Amino acid sequence: MSRTSTSSSSESLRDQCAAILKEEAVLREGGGKAGHERQRKMGRLPARERIGLLLDKDAQFFEIGLWAAYKMYEQWGNIAAAGAVAGIGNVAGIPCMIIANDATVKAGAFFPQTAKKLIRAQRIAFECALPIVYLVDSAGVFLPMQDEIFPDEDDFGRIFRNNSVISAAGIPQFTAIMGNCVAGGAYLPVLCDKILMTKGSGLYLAGPSLVKAAIGQIVDAEELGGAQMHAEISGTVDFYEKDDASCLNRLRSLIALLPEAETTKAAKIDKKMPKPAKNPDALYEIVSLDGQKQYEARDLLASIVDANSVDEYKADYGKTIVTVYARLGGHAVGIVANQRLQVRTKKEGIQMGGVIYSDSANKAARFVMDCNQTGLPIIFFQDVTGFMVGRDAEQSGIIRSGAKLVNAVSNSIVPKITVVVGGSFGAGNYAMCGKAYDPRFIVAWPSARYAVMGAAQASDTVFAILARARERGDRKATHEDLEELRAKVKQNYEEQTDIRYGAARGWVDAIIQPHQTRDVLIQLLRYVSRPMPKARFHTGVIQV
């Protein structure tokens, strides 16, 4: 769906949120009925059922990358969620990153976005010191696209490099082989701390057909790389399990042995959770789907942070960015939010909402530095059209002020979480901690939009450039040609600004419902507040 088909004046943010939920339900079906039947015929459970059995009863599961690969590989079919499920949930009371291949989608084969999704999950786990559980059931690299998945730093091989680094940092990694695990993918389990394998599964660098083609040897799958062989002969597998249920039960037992499980049992749960000043449902009336409606950033925050917890920093200066100290579910945080109301300043006069001016950039930079000084996590609420342009802005030193803010965000060492509420345009994306600036988590509302500039501005700019070229003697393009090109550029921009386009490419970790923003942030703050592992040189666990 392009934004042109979803942003009519009659459609509300609630309608778009409902549409997103429907599409997500379809994505969670993976390869559909046929894929699920094939999996059960082999005596194996679908990926999401495996995760359900592994998690504690009624545990929340924060899913990452559900929209990965959305409409990206349509020539190969529907690659739902990039053929993998990833997310964080409690096992034996311990928050764990769980990564499961979905064998109902192209036999769990790795596409380019599958690798990027797993690498992102590993990074989050590393930065939040989360134990990782891999539920492996994959045919390996999708060979028709091997050139796009094999060699680069964010491709397949990076996963195994990360296994080694994560192990060396002392973060537990568990692997359960519950189906196929072939070729280069076979290194993943052997680089983990503990390996479980179910009867009927296969672990080998080359399958029977490839072995025959390569060295002429005829061997059956069990003798080559079956679970019993690895348990009794190669010694590669630590636990040999009869089926999925037994394997998942064993995993829970092993995770319960981690020291943190005892700490979790002893911890007292505070049932008196603070509440926000405004009902979270009010967010649907504050923000519009098309991004045209002005709103007060403080009203947005009032539906998210704890009531009576806000201390606003420099409230009367740099007014197009709101900076506050607050609490969220009792967690102390710093917040940087774009103000979408038009404001008036004594020095500059009228300033447009959603635009970063020199004074607001200076204020936000100072605030980010102060949060780092006191160790406060920072939450960024993005709804930004970019930095102010024009003669007055340039003379005010907007480039210098913007660079100051970008520098402060780049060098920030406290955990950062970004919520894209509306627009995320141009360098405003950078200054407000876009994906390139290492937020621990980045989530977006269905109303979010990504682009270098707006569709209208982009099409007008392209038109102006080509029109000038024509005036200089290029007579190949007629006025009608230029108008057609302008319309095409605008249409492409509108399609690419849709948040589903960005989520498919991993620019955000999840699309969330506005009224769930507070609950999601409280959950994520629990993860980012875990102490990061301290790196030191040693090899970690090596299987012998």
Side-chain angles (χ1 to χ4, degrees), residues 460-498:
D460 286 349
T461 301
V462 170
F463 180 85
I465 292 170
L466 294 176
R468 284 198 298 272
R470 183 171 177 269
E471 289 170 5
R472 289 196 299 267
D474 182 2
R475 297 293 174 184
K476 294 178 183 177
T478 65
H479 180 74
E480 289 72 21
D481 291 336
L482 294 176
E483 284 293 350
E484 185 180 341
L485 182 59
R486 169 154 57 182
K488 187 175 181 181
V489 169
K490 187 174 182 180
Q491 182 184 352
N492 288 341
Y493 255 73
E494 286 172 342
E495 289 175 355
Q496 292 171 13
T497 56
D498 190 301

Side-chain angles (χ1 to χ4, degrees), residues 253-308:
S253 296
L254 294 171
I255 293 169
L257 294 173
L258 295 176
E260 188 179 343
E262 294 303 315
T263 308
T264 304
K265 283 181 189 175
K268 292 182 180 179
I269 299 172
D270 183 7
K271 294 184 179 179
K272 293 182 180 179
M273 177 67 76
K275 293 184 178 180
K278 292 188 174 184
N279 190 316
D281 272 351
L283 293 168
Y284 292 97
E285 309 306 322
I286 294 170
V287 178
S288 64
L289 178 61
D290 62 8
Q292 298 302 309
K293 182 179 176 182
Q294 292 190 28
Y295 64 86
E296 168 62 73
R298 296 172 186 86
D299 289 340
L300 182 144
L301 297 181
S303 295
I304 295 171
V305 304
D306 298 350
N308 303 315

